Amino acid sequence: MAALTILLVAPIASEAASTKPTIILVHGAMADSSSWNGVIPLLSKDGYNVVAVSDPLRSVAGDAASVASVVKSIDGPVVLVGHSYGGAVITNAANGNNNVRALVYVAAFAPEKGESAFALIGKFPGSELGAAMAKPVTLSDGGIDLSVDPEKFAGPFAADLPHDQVTLMAITQRPVTEAALKEASGPAGWKTIPSYFVYGAADKSIPQTLHDFMAKRAQARDVVIVAGASHVVMLSHPQQVAEVIEEAAQAD
């Protein structure tokens, strides 16, 4: 199993903080844990313990098992938050973990059992991701790594961020295996666990029609659509995303 890197941000201990769920953040493909740099300080300031997991991006089942191991290590309730492909990961990681209080999908895939991210993104027109992909890299085991052409990164991912920030993100992106994007999901955690959705109206990776479809199918408790926001809504509009996460954390 791929090594798991965890970033812990712990607020000053208090009785109030001890009663709050731990927030586990799972980044998506072509990204890393810095995806949450705008959200983490806001959650920490409000007294939440935050764990930002480094998603291996190798397989849905394997990535979910890595996240599930972190969930199992935490005493008390947990809110799982996933961005993009990370949504597929939390959908599976929640299964069998009774301390998961809520699932928050941040511009994320919420697959049904048997669905893959690849199948979902082809369900509705509008994604610009396919046209922005870089040349695939063949791995030693015969698998394929996928990434986005750095020169085309802004369009599908981060059109509302400053150029210098987008350039850095493009250079530091982490590839995902083609197999992971085509892997069928296991049982959908959102069928038994309350879900919340937040995404940008200008998302060019996952079109709004697909976001709307997944949120409605999951019978989401709340859906927040951020006007003008790109696929990385948690970086361009961290306050709105943090508010949805805290809403999920405070719900009964």
Side-chain angles (χ1 to χ4, degrees):
M1 181 180 294
L4 190 68
T5 301
I6 302 173
L7 170 66
L8 296 175
V9 179
I12 297 174
S14 68
E15 183 177 352
S18 67
T19 64
K20 293 182 176 182
T22 296
I23 311 298
I24 297 180
L25 306 171
V26 182
H27 67 81
M30 298 89 170
D32 60 23
S33 294
S34 66
S35 299
W36 304 106
N37 283 357
V39 171
I40 289 171
L42 300 175
L43 297 174
S44 184
K45 179 182 177 182
D46 288 342
Y48 289 93
N49 292 308
V50 182
V51 180
V53 179
S54 183
D55 188 349
L57 305 177
R58 300 293 88 187
S59 72
V60 173
D63 298 346
S66 294
V67 173
S69 69
V70 178
V71 174
K72 288 180 171 66
S73 74
I74 294 173
D75 293 327
V78 165
V79 171
L80 279 176
V81 184
H83 173 246
S84 196
Y85 165 80
V89 175
I90 68 169
T91 295
N92 288 266
N95 292 318
N97 287 307
N98 295 330
N99 59 330
V100 177
R101 173 180 291 183
L103 300 172
V104 182
Y105 293 89
V106 180
F109 292 105
E112 170 66 278
K113 181 178 180 181
E115 282 182 338
S116 67
F118 185 82
L120 276 170
I121 208 161
K123 196 174 186 70
F124 298 95
S127 176
E128 297 179 2
L129 186 58
M133 300 303 292
K135 182 180 178 180
V137 174
T138 301
L139 304 173
S140 59
D141 63 1
I144 294 175
D145 256 355
L146 301 176
S147 60
V148 174
D149 183 339
E151 297 297 323
K152 301 177 181 177
F153 196 90
F157 270 87
D160 57 348
L161 291 182
H163 174 76
D164 289 349
Q165 185 176 2
V166 174
T167 299
L168 186 60
M169 290 168 61
I171 292 172
T172 60
Q173 66 175 297
R174 291 177 50 215
V176 64
T177 64
E178 181 182 57
L181 297 181
K182 292 184 176 180
E183 182 179 340
S185 176
W190 47 260
K191 285 193 169 182
T192 57
I193 300 170
S195 63
Y196 299 75
F197 285 69
V198 53
Y199 47 88
D203 190 338
K204 300 301 182 182
S205 286
I206 303 177
Q208 186 176 334
T209 48
L210 178 54
H211 283 306
D212 294 344
F213 166 79
M214 293 186 292
K216 182 178 181 180
R217 180 174 66 177
Q219 298 182 339
R221 286 196 176 183
D222 194 15
V223 179
V224 175
I225 304 171
V226 183
S230 71
H231 188 56
V232 289
V233 61
M234 67 287 188
L235 284 169
S236 60
H237 295 78
Q239 184 65 49
Q240 289 93 322
V241 172
E243 288 173 358
V244 175
I245 294 171
E246 292 193 18
E247 177 189 358
Q250 295 165 12
D252 294 330

